[in-house]
Amino acid sequence: MTTRTFRRDRFTWLAYLLLAFYGYFLNILGPITPFLKEELNLSYTVSSLHFTAFAVGILLVGFFGHSLIARVGRKSALWIGAFGISAGAFFLLAGRSPVITILSSFCMGLVGSLILVIVPSGLSDQFGEQRAVALSEANVVASLFSAAAPLMVGWCAGLPGGWRLALGSVALAPLLMLLGFGKINPPPPIAVQEDSSTDESLPPLYWVYWAAIVLAVSVEFCMISWGADYLEKSLGLLKANAAQAISLFLAGMIIGRLSGSRLVHRFSTHGVVLVSVLLAGIGFLVFWMTHIAIPALVGLFLTGLGVASLYPLILSLAIGTATRQTVQASARATLASGTAILLLPLTLGRLADMVGIRQAYGVVAILLISTFLIILIASRKHHELQDKLTAASQQEP
């Protein structure tokens, strides 16, 4: 590991805060789903379309976002993303039909996910080999705000404005951030190769990590999206209490990401990821196999603790394979997140309509096993490539 001093400047903190703002609204969809489902009389499948719409927006940004960013610049794209989330949030809280609320989710995913492209690429260009630390820290801050989302929903549910206060109050945050950070410019992208506009310029190992990102994000959002409903239907928690209980998962993610950002200073990123998957698997089995609330909540926390480091660390490994195409690599990684959020909550919701929410959650165990195997294979491929590069350098005169 590099020993170069890790220095955070004003752009670093702006990136952390914007990613946290994005994470808050991405993670609030799960806790508000039981309220929308009841108010609008929705099925599990239709309720899942809120996540699907958000994910479609992410996918479109993954395909075309890097072109828009190249035209308007990173700075403008960041603020467009922030205020786009705010606009979508206000439409969502005002919506009285599933058409409006689903379109609002789409707006938040489409415009807001520009943040999801720019922050990882900007931090990677800024910190280079220390990108794993920067991305882990960014996700620690994001997890803090994400953990506040279900707490806000549960707390606001008993107030006159109801759960909608949890959206409207935080949607004003970009105005404050613009006042404090409006003059900050992101770092310029590292010069790219001539063929960097094509997917073929990204190495094969990148796409192995890409598949692992899909699986890891799928686990995270299966827990966030349907965890509250699972706790209510399978364990008998009250709706507001079940929504707040998801904060245990997100609290585990905060601690896990904070620990992960420290562990990668001392241990290999691959090793930290593999141990994290094992911890998530143990926690999920405790959560899924019990019918008693307290052990289930402990398992929920342990699952969050393990899942926490998967996305930022696998993302850092993926971007590390394409150091001269960080914007493109980050955009394609956004596609991975969008694919996961598009398919898995909807799949789990559909299965829940068919066989019940408890049985449907078995999908998460399959995802965790698959993630472990892919990272194990990728780790071996990475070391093989490193050995070849070392051997080639030793043969040079």
Side-chain angles (χ1 to χ4, degrees):
M1 287 290 173
T2 180
T3 58
R4 183 166 61 89
T5 303
F6 186 83
R7 298 184 182 278
R8 305 167 191 85
D9 60 13
R10 285 173 61 79
F11 169 73
T12 308
W13 290 111
L14 174 62
Y16 288 3
L17 289 173
L18 284 173
L19 188 63
F21 178 72
Y22 177 87
Y24 178 90
F25 283 97
L26 177 58
N27 286 282
I28 207 170
L29 290 177
I32 68 173
T33 292
F35 296 94
L36 284 172
K37 185 169 176 286
E38 182 179 41
E39 288 183 15
L40 304 178
N41 194 27
L42 307 177
S43 67
Y44 281 109
T45 302
V46 175
S47 299
S48 298
L49 293 179
H50 291 89
F51 311 116
T52 301
F54 198 108
V56 170
I58 297 176
L59 288 173
L60 291 174
V61 169
F63 280 116
F64 307 112
H66 64 292
S67 298
L68 175 63
I69 294 166
R71 289 189 177 186
V72 304
R74 284 178 169 179
K75 181 178 180 179
S76 296
L78 273 176
W79 294 114
I80 290 171
F83 283 100
I85 290 176
S86 296
F90 282 118
F91 279 110
L92 178 58
L93 66 87
R96 292 297 185 271
S97 75
V99 174
I100 299 299
T101 56
I102 290 169
L103 285 176
S104 300
S105 296
F106 173 72
C107 175
M108 289 193 289
L110 178 65
V111 186
S113 293
L114 289 170
I115 295 171
L116 198 60
V117 175
I118 299 168
V119 167
S121 62
L123 292 175
S124 295
D125 288 336
Q126 182 180 17
F127 290 103
E129 293 180 358
Q130 293 182 311
R131 67 178 65 87
V133 178
L135 291 174
S136 292
E137 287 193 351
N139 281 274
V140 169
V141 179
S143 294
L144 286 168
F145 282 77
S146 297
L151 290 175
M152 285 285 286
V153 172
W155 179 62
C156 292
L159 298 177
W163 58 268
R164 289 176 173 82
L165 285 174
L167 276 75
S169 58
V170 181
L172 299 173
L175 293 173
L176 298 176
M177 285 190 278
L178 186 62
L179 290 174
F181 296 94
K183 296 182 179 180
I184 301 301
N185 292 309
I190 295 175
V192 300
Q193 298 171 345
E194 292 182 359
D195 64 347
S196 64
S197 61
T198 63
D199 290 341
E200 289 75 17
S201 64
L202 294 171
L205 187 57
Y206 172 87
W207 296 106
V208 177
Y209 290 124
W210 188 94
I213 292 173
V214 173
L215 297 175
V217 175
S218 295
V219 173
E220 184 176 335
F221 280 90
C222 280
M223 300 303 295
I224 292 171
S225 301
W226 292 114
D229 201 271
Y230 178 89
L231 292 171
E232 180 192 358
K233 296 296 192 298
S234 296
L235 300 178
L237 271 67
L238 296 175
K239 195 184 302 294
N241 292 340
Q244 289 183 313
I246 299 303
S247 288
L248 286 172
F249 178 81
L250 297 171
M253 292 190 67
I254 293 169
I255 297 172
R257 282 178 173 167
L258 186 61
S259 301
S261 68
R262 303 279 76 84
L263 289 173
V264 291
H265 282 288
R266 301 182 58 187
F267 304 101
S268 73
T269 304
H270 289 100
V272 175
V273 171
L274 289 172
V275 172
S276 297
V277 176
L278 289 175
L279 178 58
I282 293 170
F284 176 73
L285 288 177
V286 174
F287 170 79
W288 188 41
M289 300 299 290
T290 186
H291 292 267
I292 304 171
I294 297 301
L297 295 177
V298 172
L300 186 65
F301 173 80
L302 291 176
T303 306
L305 193 65
V307 167
S309 294
L310 298 185
Y311 171 74
L313 295 186
I314 298 173
L315 177 62
S316 73
L317 291 170
I319 294 178
T321 67
T323 54
R324 299 185 66 84
Q325 294 100 3
T326 58
V327 174
Q328 183 189 354
S330 184
R332 297 300 178 258
T334 302
L335 278 178
S337 298
T339 299
I341 300 171
L342 173 67
L343 295 180
L344 267 299
L346 180 62
T347 300
L348 199 155
R350 181 58 180 160
L351 285 173
D353 280 332
M354 296 170 62
V355 300
I357 189 71
R358 177 176 288 276
Q359 289 79 6
Y361 251 105
V363 169
V364 175
I366 299 173
L367 295 171
L368 286 169
I369 293 171
S370 301
T371 304
F372 184 87
L373 294 175
I374 288 177
I375 294 299
L376 193 63
I377 293 170
S379 177
R380 292 176 179 174
K381 293 294 183 182
H382 172 81
H383 290 303
E384 289 175 6
L385 288 174
Q386 292 298 111
D387 291 341
K388 288 180 181 179
L389 290 174
T390 301
S393 63
Q394 291 175 348
Q395 291 176 0
E396 292 180 355

